[in-house]
Amino acid sequence: MFDRILTSVENTVIVAAFATMTVVYFANVVSRYLLHGSLAFTTEIVVNLAVLLTMVGAAAGVRLGSHPSFDLLPSVSKGLVRTILISLVAAATLSFFLLFLWLGWEMTSRQFVQGRVTPALGVPQWIFSMALPVGAALGAIRAVQAGFSQIRMAALKQEASV
Amino acid sequence: MIELILVGSFLILVCVGIPIAFSMGLSAAITILYASGTHALNPASGVMFASMSSETLLAIPFFILAGVIMELTGISTRLVELADKCVGHHKSGLALTAIIAALLFAAISGSGPATVAALGAVLIPALVRHGYSKRHAASLLASAGGMGIVIPPSIAFIVFAVVASDHQRVSISRLFMAGVVPGILMGLAFYIVARYLPRQLEQLTTNANLNVSKGLGRLGLGASSPSAASGGDTPNSGVGPQSETATKGIITLDDTVDPDAEVGNRSRRAPWREILRALLRAIPGLLVPVIILGGIYGGIFTPTESAAVASIYALLVGLLTNRELKFGGLWKVFTTAGVQSSRIMIIVAAASLYAYVITSNQIAARVSDALLSLTESTLLLILLINLILLIAGMFLDAVSAFYLLVPLLVPVLLELGMDITTIGVMMTINLALGLVTPPVGVNLLVAGSIAKISYAEATRGIWPFLLAGLVVLMLVTFIPQLSNGLPNLLGA
Amino acid sequence: GDGGDDDGEESYTWDFTVTTSENSTWYEAAELFADRLNEDSDGRMEINIHANEQLSGGDPATGVEQLMNGDKAFSYNSTIIYDGLDSRFSAINAPFLYSDYEEAEATIEASAGDAYAELSREIGVEMLGFGESGFRQLTTTDTAVTTPEDLQNLVVRVPGSSLFLNIFNELGADPTTMNFAEVYTSLETGTIDGQENPYDVIYSSGLDEVQGHLTVWNYVYDPLILGMNADLYESLSEDDQQIIQDAAAEANAHQIEQNRAREEEQLAELSEDMEVVELSEDQVEEFREAMEPVYDTHEDDWTEDLFEAVQPE
Ligand code: NA
Ligand code: NA
């Protein structure tokens, strides 16, 4: 249940961010020729949404197991060795996201205190920077989930083949 | 010592099977901790945020989005059909069809494996029917797919321009133009190889609708689950670079593989009426490079804008020509493209942190001094650098390799008197060949699974194509006009 | 990082970033600063210089944040970049504030320098004086710009600062904050119609190859803060602080001198490829009036004290 809610949150953020980016950036091109609207506002929205898209998409990538890797060792190994390798991959992925959860949170709170605002929109920068800790938190959860489910699947496969 | 920790920890993490993005981020963090302590980690989040929010790199998600939509709307099949109608009757016409279709598709897509998956399903079985061995059919498609990152648009060139700008400014538009002639040369070289390959009839056991994902799973090299696109929730075992195409194969809607698109069954030229019909059907696809390159060189868009415009165009074409591309389809398009582009952009983010460590510890200067002191001979040094790049290409994708190697190698190459445009094209061809070299040859893996042969068997067929590619690489390396001619002519 | 020394005196290795390339006066001054520090400290102070904001992936605003947070020791950054982090910093960039370099220099000497030192300390930066990027000029592709009407609907690239966006909006142009790395190509292909920068940037980026017109209007004075992380500065002995102050003064003086000396040559060379228009008093007056609303928008941001401090005598 928790997993399904998380998945639909991920997908909704990805679709909303990406679709908005595409439409707004396209409108940017149109506006330059037809409307002479402000390009700076739209660019600022799009580049900051790109960070949100990347972080949440990276978390979804962990769920789907689709981050490029050189997985010769895990794929040829069996039994305990395989379990250890899967755990190592999950632990490293988790450490990556925990590290950037912490660093992203530090950056966000510094910006909150310092009061930096974006040049065109005048929006506080920390709001956009939240994408870093939020996405990293999602990624951390996904790393743990993926680790456990892969160990379970490896064990099932082992049983089936015995 | 710092160099050793940075490179060593990265290699260890990668070999354990940890995704490249996370390996890069972690080895950068480990090196920072070792060299300067916890407080020195603080800039990491800012460096990563800046790289993810770069307007130039925004072209990456947009080009990926355009590619996913166009795949979905069956544009690739129509390009094969057009090429077949035009040249299919020639001796070795089918190989030529494959090359031309790949060139056309490369002008739409920025990615190598996508090209293989899109064209291979139709062309590999056809080639095998025409007497090519499976390993050669797979290798032809895999190498042709490598042109995808040399022919514009190309994510590789975008990343190169961004990373190289620290050393010398080079515009993406110029690199795009510079890739055209070398890309066509690669196509020509692969065609010549295909022409002289031995042919005999072999039993065909595959069909055009093969499930790519299943094939990969069987190889034990991992693929994402069928829920990839629909946002399902079963994480799959194995994590591999080929998953991009696996995911792609799955989102293809039912009517995209055209039953009429069977190719290579003619001995005479197709009637003009048929050619015209195929041309009309292919026009929506053929217009994409016109929009992208015409838009950039006509002064209408920046490269990033051209990617967004191509996405919107592809969406409109999709909505008009594919009735199933309704709301549900759109949802799939954005989730799939979103995950695919995040996969690259998180590498970009982690790799810029890696590059930050290289810069802040003055590693680049030490490496270039060491390289330059190896030998007086410019020729040997350039060959050595090509070797380094080829080895990197055996293991890494172009984005990671550029972030790792551009800061180290570009200053040396500039020092040796090469121009930045030739350097960009040379490095990109190296990494394009990396797409078909074992142990990590993503294109070869995809093509092999379509041909239903083992990865090992597929690699046995690649050598003639790899040799042909190396010839082109040497030509491009030592004849700067091949890269610079067209952009200079167009004033790009 | 820093570490102990045989004599019991601390020795240091510090990073220094500049926004521009290795060929710039900024970089040259940073090198002079590094040499002087090294000499005067008997090798205890070592500086690594990084061009092109290499430590922040080319992003200058992130670069200033790093300086504030103590992630690096020194930088040369324009007040326009600081403005992206704290909107008070653009007070000295107010349009048509100074009529020439002498006036700017006198004001900095009299009041603005101290005001900016205090302001910088509030955000964790010890200001070691001003360098100078110079007066900013306008280049355009096809249109010679001599009146605000000429700018109608032209797409002009400006730095990422609300002040500059507002100025060009008031003039009727379409300002955009494109990454500088894309500016040359975009000018060439016609995606943007113009940009504004000091001579040095225009010249060293070869913009005369893709721009037909140069409007000399000296509309914004652009000083460079030689900044040091304040906590780091405080942590040093008084003698070491003095060494740094002396080196900074020398580097700044050298940078300003070089920048002004080069400007004349650069303008001469630029005028070979471009139509150069130097605006008359009356023409400038017209632009000044058109930009008047910008003062109303930004005066509150600048604060009364600071705005007072940057006014010429
Ligand atoms: Na391409
Ligand atoms: Na490879």
Side-chain angles (χ1 to χ4, degrees), chain A residues 20-29 46, chain B residues 55 58 62 304-305 308:
Chain A
T20 311
M21 283 164 61
T22 314
V23 171
V24 168
Y25 210 70
F26 178 75
N28 207 0
V29 184
V46 174
Chain B
E55 194 182 348
L58 209 54
F62 289 143
T304 309
E305 288 171 347

Side-chain angles (χ1 to χ4, degrees), chain B residues 106 109-110 148 151-153:
Chain B
S109 155
I151 299 270

Side-chain angles (χ1 to χ4, degrees), chain B residues 180-246:
Chain B
V180 172
V181 171
I184 292 174
L185 275 181
M186 285 172 82
L188 203 64
F190 297 147
Y191 171 64
I192 292 170
V193 169
R195 229 188 132 96
Y196 294 103
L197 283 177
R199 286 209 242 170
Q200 86 225 20
L201 273 172
E202 201 176 330
Q203 197 57 46
L204 180 74
T205 54
T206 182
N207 64 58
N209 293 317
L210 179 97
N211 185 333
V212 177
S213 156
K214 212 166 162 187
L216 292 168
R218 215 170 37 78
L219 281 166
L221 282 148
S224 49
S225 68
S227 52
S230 53
D233 51 6
T234 42
N236 204 324
S237 67
V239 175
Q242 71 287 353
S243 312
E244 177 178 345
T245 30

Side-chain angles (χ1 to χ4, degrees), chain B residues 105-111 115 147-155:
Chain B
F105 195 75
I108 293 176
S109 155
S111 146
T115 310
M147 298 184 309
I149 66 169
V150 182
I151 299 270
S154 155
I155 288 170

Side-chain angles (χ1 to χ4, degrees), chain C residues 22-75:
Chain C
E22 279 98 344
N23 307 319
S24 61
T25 54
W26 311 25
Y27 193 88
E28 195 178 302
E31 280 182 315
L32 179 69
F33 179 74
D35 289 347
R36 186 60 63 238
L37 278 195
N38 199 297
E39 244 168 68
D40 294 352
S41 68
D42 298 319
R44 285 185 302 112
M45 298 178 184
E46 201 185 314
I47 305 269
N48 294 323
I49 309 170
H50 307 277
N52 301 316
E53 299 286 354
Q54 273 179 354
L55 293 188
S56 53
D59 181 29
T62 304
V64 172
E65 272 188 323
Q66 290 176 341
L67 186 72
M68 292 161 62
N69 301 331
D71 301 333
K72 70 182 174 209
F74 301 96
S75 83

Side-chain angles (χ1 to χ4, degrees), chain B residues 36 39-40 42-43 46-47 50 54-57 165-167 169-174 295-305 356 359-362 491-492, chain C residues 1 15 22 48-59 62 65-66 69-71 176-182 184-186 188-191 204-207:
Chain B
S36 335
H39 70 95
N42 275 334
V47 168
S54 145
E55 194 182 348
T56 313
L57 292 173
S165 70
D166 276 350
H167 308 282
R169 218 151 32 78
V170 56
S171 75
I172 292 169
S173 331
R174 183 177 175 88
I296 295 175
Y297 299 103
I300 306 172
F301 328 124
T302 62
T304 309
E305 288 171 347
Y356 164 82
T359 311
S360 60
N361 290 294
Q362 323 264 308
Chain C
D15 288 317
E22 279 98 344
N48 294 323
I49 309 170
H50 307 277
N52 301 316
E53 299 286 354
Q54 273 179 354
L55 293 188
S56 53
D59 181 29
T62 304
E65 272 188 323
Q66 290 176 341
N69 301 331
D71 301 333
T176 180
T177 55
M178 170 185 293
N179 185 338
F180 190 73
E182 269 190 65
Y184 183 97
T185 324
S186 302
E188 186 177 38
T189 57
T191 314
S204 59
S205 314
L207 296 187

Side-chain angles (χ1 to χ4, degrees), chain B residues 13 29 33 68 97 128 140 151 181 198 212 216 227 287 316 323 343 395 406-407 425 438 485 490:
Chain B
L13 291 170
L33 281 175
V68 168
T97 299
V128 175
L140 172 61
I151 299 270
V181 171
V212 177
L216 292 168
S227 52
L287 275 179
L316 291 179
R323 267 156 284 128
R343 212 156 51 206
F395 297 92
V406 163
V425 177
L490 293 172

